[in-house]
């Protein structure tokens, strides 16, 4: 990139940073107390199963799951409404001219970004994830029997690498950009697969009616300083990282709740200690 100077009319410029809604990590662009998820969806040709993967680039949280059966589409939309991703990756439509049909996400997945179909192929996903995690096999991540979740996770790593490489001008133009992408995403060293049926899942309507995260009547909440939601009443964290961690505990997607976590919620109820301090002491 050239610096402007006397006598110069045209100055060469380069792209120094690529920002999309799901890859932005600048604190000025994000709410520090909420996760910023980039999601990816891989759907089998028959319509089921549907793989979902999501990552928060600022924290390194990387998870994946699958939905199957006749209600797979509805389950996917419910999960997306809880996650509220800022951007969702989807395969590019096969037809020459995209028809004006309703999107698969119906507005619940944030900005839709379309990628080539081969990015969602299983063999490519396996290769790029092995490279990213520095492992010979992916057996330990629980994705062997979930090809659509595997494909969705691979598409996320591909997309992040492409954006990281385009924004990195420190490597020669003729050099492979994969090394630059791996270096920029070094903190993404694992993906966790979680099951839906092993946990109590609250649908978005219940979450809203119970006022767990957002108040039903926003006008009334603006006129009072008292917390109007459960998360606001429990949140005594002092940093954005702590607030995001609390929200992740609130909707823990792990397959089974550990006894220590049940105990920490119970101990908070019986004492006046802040929840964040109580859980930190136990972990």
């Amino acid at each position: 990139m050239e610096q402007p100077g006397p006598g110069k009319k045209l100055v060469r410029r380069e792209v120094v940073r690529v920002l999309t809604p799901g890859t932005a990590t600048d604190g000025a662009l994000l709410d520090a107390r909420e996760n910023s998820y980039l999601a990816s969806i891989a759907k089998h040709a028959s319509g089921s199963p549907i793989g979902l993967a999501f990552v928060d680039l600022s924290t390194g949280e990387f998870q994946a799951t699958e939905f199957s059966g006749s209600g797979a589409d509805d389950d996917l939309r419910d999960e997306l409404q809880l996650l509220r991703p800022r951007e969702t990756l989807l395969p590019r439509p096969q037809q020459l001219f995209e028809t004006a049909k309703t999107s698969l996400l119906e507005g619940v997945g944030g900005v839709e970004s379309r990628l080539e179909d081969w990015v969602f192929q299983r063999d490519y996903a396996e290769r790029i994830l092995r490279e990213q995690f520095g492992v010979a096999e992916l057996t330990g991540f629980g994705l062997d029997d979930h090809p659509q979740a595997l494909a969705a996770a691979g598409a996320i790593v591909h997309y992040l690498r492409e954006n990281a490489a385009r924004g990195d001008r420190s490597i020669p133009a003729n050099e492979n950009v994969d090394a630059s992408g791996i270096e920029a995403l070094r903190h993404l060293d694992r993906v966790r697969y979680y099951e839906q049926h092993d946990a109590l899942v609250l649908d978005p309507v219940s979450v809203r009616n119970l006022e767990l995260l957002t108040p039903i009547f926003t006008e009334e909440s603006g006129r009072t300083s008292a917390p109007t939601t459960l998360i606001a009443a429990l949140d005594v964290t002092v940093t954005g990282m702590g607030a995001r961690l609390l929200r992740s505990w609130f909707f823990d997607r792990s397959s089974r709740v550990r006894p220590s976590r049940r105990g920490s919620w119970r101990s908070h109820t019986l004492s006046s200690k802040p929840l964040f301090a109580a859980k930190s002491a136990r972990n």
Side-chain angles (χ1 to χ4, degrees):
M1 186 169 60
E2 297 176 350
Q3 295 296 327
K8 287 187 176 181
K9 293 183 179 179
L10 296 178
V11 180
R12 184 167 60 89
R13 287 288 182 260
E14 295 179 352
V15 177
V16 296
R17 192 175 184 187
V18 179
L19 289 179
T20 68
T23 60
T25 57
D26 192 338
L29 303 175
L30 304 174
D31 184 350
R33 306 186 73 82
E34 292 188 8
N35 291 99
S36 176
Y37 287 123
L38 168 68
S40 175
I41 295 172
K43 192 173 185 179
H44 191 270
S46 64
S48 176
I50 303 175
L52 169 67
F54 58 91
V55 65
D56 185 341
L57 193 56
S58 64
T59 64
E61 178 187 359
F62 194 4
Q63 300 190 57
T65 189
E66 273 188 1
F67 307 93
S68 58
S70 58
D73 286 339
D74 293 334
D75 293 339
L76 170 65
R77 293 189 187 97
D78 287 346
E79 188 73 358
L80 288 174
Q81 287 185 31
L82 292 177
L83 286 173
R84 295 188 297 174
R86 297 179 182 270
E87 183 179 5
T88 301
L89 309 178
L90 294 166
R92 187 161 290 147
Q94 294 290 336
Q95 58 267 32
L96 180 60
F97 301 103
E98 187 174 2
T99 57
K101 62 181 179 181
T102 304
S103 167
L104 170 69
L105 306 183
E106 295 183 351
V108 298
V111 176
E112 295 182 18
S113 296
R114 297 284 179 168
L115 304 179
E116 298 294 338
D117 273 347
W118 61 264
V119 175
F120 294 86
Q121 295 299 316
R122 177 172 182 168
D123 55 348
Y124 177 72
E126 287 180 348
R127 179 175 66 82
I128 199 171
L129 287 175
R130 287 199 304 267
E131 290 178 359
Q132 178 64 35
F133 301 149
V135 297
E137 298 292 339
L138 297 174
T139 304
F141 299 100
L143 296 174
D144 285 348
D145 298 327
H146 306 285
Q148 300 306 312
L150 174 66
I156 283 183
V157 173
H158 169 87
Y159 186 71
L160 292 176
R161 281 194 187 183
E162 287 291 308
N163 282 333
R166 271 186 277 169
D168 188 352
R169 299 299 171 182
S170 61
I171 57 175
N174 60 349
E175 195 170 308
N176 195 328
V177 297
D178 282 348
S180 174
I182 294 174
E183 185 65 28
L185 305 174
R186 186 174 293 276
H187 64 297
L188 295 182
D189 56 0
R190 64 178 58 87
V191 60
R192 184 166 69 89
Y193 183 84
Y194 67 96
E195 294 280 2
Q196 291 284 321
H197 57 74
D198 288 336
L200 174 63
V201 179
L202 293 177
D203 60 273
V205 175
S206 299
V207 172
R208 175 171 173 77
N209 289 341
L210 292 173
E211 295 187 298
L212 301 182
L213 297 177
T214 57
I216 296 178
F217 304 105
T218 56
E219 298 83 2
E220 293 183 5
S221 64
R223 292 196 295 265
T224 177
S225 59
T228 57
T229 63
L230 180 57
I231 190 70
L234 294 175
D235 191 354
V236 291
T237 58
V238 295
T239 64
M241 184 181 298
R244 292 194 300 268
L245 186 60
L246 175 63
R247 291 174 71 94
S248 70
W249 284 336
F250 205 75
F251 289 108
D252 192 350
R253 294 176 179 82
S254 58
S255 59
R256 290 177 177 84
V257 180
R258 296 181 300 174
S260 60
R261 289 201 171 177
R262 289 197 187 101
S264 61
W265 282 98
R266 183 166 174 252
S267 65
H268 172 66
T269 306
L270 300 177
S271 68
S272 59
K273 292 181 179 180
L275 176 64
F276 184 70
K279 292 188 75 68
S280 297
R282 285 184 172 267
N283 287 341

